[in-house]
Amino acid sequence: MSTAPFSPSFPVRSIEDVRRLEETPLSEALTVRSTYEIFRNAAAAFGDKTALTFLRTADPADEPIRWSYAELLAGIHQTANVLHALGVGPDDAVAVLLPGCLEYHLALWGGEAAGIVQPLNPLLADEKLVSLMTAGRAKVLIAYGSDEESGMWSKAMRLRGQVPTLTTVLRVAPHDEPVGSAGELPEGVADFNAMCAHVPADRLASGRDIAPADIAAYFHTGGTTGAPKLARHSHGAQVFTAWASVKLQGLKSSDVTINGYPLFHVAGVLPASLSALSAGVEVIIPTTALLRNRQVLANYWRLVEKYRPTSLSAVPTVLAALANVPLDGADISSIHYCRTGAAVLAPELAARFERLFGLHVHESLGMTEMAGISTITPPGVIGPAGCVGFRLPYSQLRIVALDEHGNPSDRELPAGEQGMVLFKSPNLFSGFVDPADTAKAFTADGWLATGDLGWLDGEERLNLSGRSKDLIIRSGHNIDPKTIEDALGAHPAVQLCAAVGAPDAYAGELPVAFATLVPGMTASEAELLAFTAARVDEAPAKPKSVVVIEHMPMTNVGKIYKPELRALAARKVAEALVGEACAALGLAARPEVQADGESALKVVIDAAAAGAQAAPLQARLTEALGRLPFKTQVVLR
């Protein structure tokens, strides 16, 4: 068993280097068995070196709070021991409702040392959180003791009585809160810091020996809607993610990184935190609101100058926002590696970032079902936008053709041909909590069906174009939305853009696009449409419209949320049909088109305003809208 922290073997610059790593059997190359062991090894190696730096504010002049590797391990021991005392065992879940803060790392890694950690997205509605905690059978909730961040404490208090398995809520005091100022806590609620002070800080009181196959975490996947899908991560999968990330990225203990990803999301927890901490890197937490803090974005380059991070990592939408923040003379020369993931990078944004800051953006592919990382573009490897790099060592990658339903077939495609991306890997997840969800995630012969579309280039790097579910299907013709998005995104006034299918009675779907503009710039919808159409070669893929919107809908981790755009596109189609029907009947007053959930519409006719034409209008609209491949109902009021 190795007690050394993870470190790079040699620079990885090609698939041959990946194969060179594989010459040593995995059982010899990686002997660390758990995430707890990672932190024990790091504390032994780095001791008083800074592990975590928390920025109280976005002002570079303000004094941060720093924890050493030794302090972090002590806190992990205390957290695990408190949870053990509360009856948490290896099969029990510990839910976490915290903002960006130092204690999040105690909840994560102490939670995994005692049981199974379940990070929760605090922006979700109460009902969703209740369903997730109930599905995970959470026994303890670790929650932030303030409402300043997403109303978390009130939310935690509301959740208390709604999750049958929940026995205790642990209140984490906001940083710098005076001791004892919280007052008396309700029954079943305890002070996290006070409890930690009364348990050992030098060992696991449980004496637990954690095996690689033991479940470490439940991560929610599948967006913000639908039934809860909880992906189970083993300790071995998370450890492999950290090890492989260190090997391919060349992470060293002299490195510093700003982790602005939310810690309820797999990207923030594993590639951005565990990987860094396994190699002795200093990880900076930029305020409780992270990169949702507008002041952090506005001061980002000054923070870089102050804290000298060696890498920059953010989702493409955050990179787009940073591209609007002028350097103003800030020295950012410490950054030698810039990376992104979570969504495909637009070529124009990649070019703009390189032009403005001299930073080439290296892309990676990560997913919850592979403990946060699937492919990596290492430092020094320059690829075009959409190139997400090499597979991880000891992993397998295939590209297969889609069948007529857009699902993976068993026909493997040669290099250069686009299909669905399939994986097998040591960091593959242990399935979902619900076995029915697990069955849908894999092909019949056991490969993870990612839903991502891509191809392999001559250097065996994976290149992504989008998601199979985002394909626009026009009269049986598959249109890749990235073709439209790359064309529209090249317009200098466009900040963000996305193409989706609008429902059509004849073609099924027609391509339409939405865009937000760079602050201070203007462009008409007609100009953007003409610009895009001129750059899309394939006639069926030329968009029917480009709509400028004020804000692009986002998921809570900064990805563009296409279901909302598809619903908006459907609404515009319905409104046009309503206008035609009203004009034909000579009606001035138009019925209202309302969203009916995310995948349906409701047209409400005011019977009094429509008078004798109400019934004919309802019949006409029911017929016209009924032809659309989108659920719509027409009602009289």
Side-chain angles (χ1 to χ4, degrees), residues 129 141 413:
L129 292 170
L141 172 63
L413 296 173

Side-chain angles (χ1 to χ4, degrees), residues 208-495:
R208 183 184 179 196
D209 176 31
I210 305 169
D214 287 354
I215 300 302
Y218 293 152
F219 277 93
H220 176 215
T221 186
T224 56
T225 59
K229 278 168 63 176
L230 290 176
R232 302 179 304 153
H233 284 182
S234 68
H235 277 269
Q238 292 194 347
V239 168
F240 180 83
T241 284
W243 177 87
S245 296
V246 170
K247 295 296 181 187
L248 264 69
Q249 293 178 55
L251 294 175
K252 302 182 295 294
S253 60
S254 55
D255 286 327
V256 179
T257 185
I258 298 175
N259 181 10
Y261 295 100
L263 288 172
F264 60 78
H265 191 263
V266 68
V269 175
L270 298 171
S273 290
L274 187 65
S275 302
L277 295 166
S278 73
V281 174
E282 178 187 345
V283 178
I284 297 167
I285 305 168
T287 78
T288 52
L290 306 167
L291 295 180
R292 286 192 300 112
N293 183 337
R294 290 184 180 179
Q295 287 304 112
V296 168
L297 283 176
N299 288 347
Y300 195 87
W301 304 121
R302 290 174 59 214
L303 291 169
V304 167
E305 184 172 58
K306 166 77 179 283
Y307 290 99
R308 311 301 293 158
T310 51
S311 65
L312 187 165
S313 182
V315 295
T317 51
V318 169
L319 295 180
L322 286 175
N324 295 327
V325 180
L327 276 178
D328 281 344
D331 177 5
I332 64 167
S333 59
S334 63
I335 298 174
H336 63 71
Y337 183 45
C338 177
R339 61 187 287 263
T340 194
V344 178
L345 182 68
E348 177 52 36
L349 176 58
R352 196 185 336 160
F353 219 78
E354 198 150 355
R355 190 169 64 244
L356 290 170
F357 310 118
L359 296 171
H360 175 77
V361 184
H362 299 71
E363 291 181 76
S364 299
L365 170 64
M367 59 190 75
T368 307
E369 293 86 347
M370 284 180 72
I373 200 73
S374 311
T375 65
I376 292 174
T377 304
V381 175
I382 304 300
C387 175
V388 294
F390 304 111
R391 63 172 178 81
L392 307 180
Y394 310 101
S395 70
Q396 297 169 267
L397 163 60
R398 291 171 66 204
I399 308 293
V400 298
L402 299 180
D403 65 18
E404 64 273 19
H405 305 295
N407 297 317
S409 70
D410 55 7
R411 182 166 66 88
E412 191 154 351
L413 296 173
E417 285 196 38
Q418 178 181 281
M420 189 181 289
V421 183
L422 308 183
F423 281 106
K424 285 184 178 178
S425 178
N427 64 345
L428 208 58
F429 77 137
S430 304
F432 293 106
V433 167
D434 184 342
D437 291 326
T438 305
K440 296 173 196 165
F442 292 90
T443 62
D445 53 350
W447 289 77
L448 178 71
T450 65
D452 288 306
L453 299 176
W455 73 96
L456 289 171
D457 63 22
E459 297 175 51
E460 288 192 45
R461 298 179 302 185
L462 178 62
N463 293 259
L464 289 186
S465 57
R467 300 279 295 164
S468 59
K469 67 181 181 183
D470 289 338
L471 284 175
I472 301 163
I473 302 172
R474 178 178 184 174
S475 301
H477 182 92
N478 287 355
I479 297 168
D480 185 346
K482 190 173 185 292
T483 306
I484 302 166
E485 291 158 0
D486 287 353
L488 176 55
H491 192 286
V494 171
Q495 166 93 323

Side-chain angles (χ1 to χ4, degrees), residues 34-37 40 73-85 109-115 199-210 235:
S34 67
T35 58
Y36 168 64
E37 212 175 301
R40 213 173 55 193
L73 179 64
I76 290 169
H77 279 141
Q78 290 172 316
T79 304
N81 291 338
V82 165
L83 294 170
H84 174 65
W109 315 118
E112 292 194 359
V199 293
D202 61 344
R203 67 189 185 281
L204 292 181
S206 66
R208 183 184 179 196
D209 176 31
I210 305 169
H235 277 269

Side-chain angles (χ1 to χ4, degrees), residues 579-615:
E580 288 173 16
C582 288
L585 294 171
L587 279 170
R590 289 192 180 188
E592 188 183 356
V593 180
Q594 302 171 348
D596 189 12
E598 269 186 358
S599 55
L601 292 172
K602 184 187 289 184
V603 179
V604 181
I605 299 171
D606 186 328
Q613 298 283 35

